[in-house]
Amino acid sequence: MLDRRTLLAAGTAAALAPALPASAQAPAVTPAFRHVTVGALRATVVNDGAATRPDATRGFVVNAQPDQVAAALQAAGTPGPALVNPYNVTIIRTPAGLVALDVGLGTSPALMVNMRNAGLDPAEVVLIAHTHFHGDHIGGLLAADGSAAFPNARIAVPEGEWNFWMDPGEESRASEARRPAFANARRRFAPYQGRITRFAPGAQVAPGITSVATHGHSPGHVSFLVADGDAQLLVIGDAITTPALFMANPEWYPVFDMDPAMAVATRKRLLDQLATDRIAVVGYHFPMPATGTVERAGTGYRLVPLV
């Protein structure tokens, strides 16, 4: 079993990811949801659609050559060069109500439709806890008219993430490409003012749900350890994405990692612990059903889907 104290301690010591254009939107993902039992808790991974990167061999993996990326995709059974990138939101049913870990891209009704099909009423979401503030994780905070999409929800955010994206100084120093992410974060959280709390890594955001520092992809990125007794599930956000690439090759990093060196160190630490402790994991950008365990494979790792 994962040593929870070790994971939390290691994590504590330890640009906006733009949506692809509408023309690149992929068909609905199947299955649309997956229930996972975690002791007396139930987690449901709900898909919010997907986008297709037309050629993942170029410009996506910063420190690998196109032929290396193509070979990795083929080894994983993905023909390439196109890569489907899903958006998967994890929702935990607790005695107090539903807790959503991120809220998707928000450009289509997919999340709301799939939640209802999974037996989850969006009106029952009492808390939204965020891994980080890239647009495909906070877009779903707003309804089409700009109001709060989850009017009954409180918001919990990593303090490091909030401090970065709400800092005018950071915004002034940001590249022109990244600067819109600051305004986007302000706009997405605006309808929830008065209901936003900040937490430090290691804090319990809800009963059975504890934050874990997994910085690097973004300045304050966290994962969430969902636990009840010996049953555990780690919801990793974007700390590890696209298993065919970044599990198989942990030292590779995608263009969206804001601090590549830290992101790689975080990824390698997580993969080692997940493979050693056989804890179940959920990946925001894993192929649905987006859940599994990690095992060592050669010089890297692979995802073994849950049955």
Side-chain angles (χ1 to χ4, degrees):
M1 186 186 74
L2 177 68
D3 183 337
R4 198 176 317 167
R5 288 176 298 178
T6 299
L7 175 63
L8 297 179
T12 303
L16 174 69
L20 294 178
S23 60
Q25 292 299 310
V29 173
T30 303
F33 60 87
R34 169 70 183 267
H35 297 302
V36 182
T37 299
V38 188
L41 300 173
R42 189 180 75 172
T44 303
V45 183
V46 183
N47 180 256
D48 186 36
T52 298
R53 178 170 288 276
D55 187 354
T57 69
R58 300 181 183 277
F60 181 47
V61 184
V62 176
N63 58 337
Q65 296 299 313
D67 59 333
Q68 293 175 304
V69 178
L73 292 174
Q74 291 172 4
T78 302
L83 181 68
V84 175
N85 186 47
Y87 310 113
N88 304 313
V89 173
T90 302
I91 300 174
I92 314 299
R93 182 173 291 282
T94 74
L98 299 178
V99 176
L101 306 179
D102 292 329
V103 286
L105 186 62
T107 58
S108 79
L111 178 64
M112 299 299 191
V113 169
N114 291 337
M115 283 182 65
R116 292 188 177 95
N117 288 340
L120 305 173
D121 183 352
E124 293 182 30
V125 175
V126 297
L127 177 68
I128 300 167
H130 287 279
T131 61
H132 66 298
F133 291 2
H134 285 169
D136 53 336
H137 294 253
I138 64 173
L141 285 169
L142 298 185
D145 63 359
S147 64
F150 298 90
N152 300 321
R154 296 176 292 107
I155 307 295
V157 297
E159 61 181 7
E161 197 75 356
W162 182 272
N163 292 342
F164 180 85
W165 294 107
M166 299 299 165
D167 182 353
E170 292 288 357
E171 182 175 12
S172 69
R173 293 186 291 272
S175 67
E176 186 174 342
R178 182 165 289 155
R179 199 165 296 150
F182 291 84
N184 183 61
R186 290 193 298 270
R187 184 168 73 90
R188 298 291 171 177
F189 288 108
Y192 299 89
Q193 291 303 318
R195 290 183 278 161
I196 300 172
T197 59
R198 287 173 267 180
F199 60 84
Q204 185 180 77
V205 299
I209 305 174
T210 303
S211 61
V212 180
T214 48
H215 305 335
H217 178 71
S218 69
H221 188 287
V222 300
S223 300
F224 293 103
L225 182 65
V226 182
D228 182 55
D230 290 343
Q232 299 176 84
L233 178 73
L234 189 65
V235 181
I236 59 173
D238 285 4
I240 306 168
T241 64
T242 317
L245 299 177
F246 305 110
M247 278 193 185
N249 303 276
E251 295 188 353
W252 288 2
Y253 59 89
V255 65
F256 300 128
D257 279 352
M258 295 176 65
D259 185 331
M262 184 179 291
V264 167
T266 293
R267 188 152 44 248
K268 292 170 71 173
R269 171 177 56 81
L270 275 181
L271 287 166
D272 178 67
Q273 292 184 327
L274 291 168
T276 298
D277 297 313
R278 304 297 293 170
I279 185 174
V281 66
V282 177
Y284 193 83
H285 295 297
F286 289 5
M288 280 295 286
T291 59
T293 55
V294 174
E295 68 178 19
R296 293 179 175 83
T299 59
Y301 301 82
R302 64 179 165 222
L303 181 70
V304 180
L306 291 184
V307 176

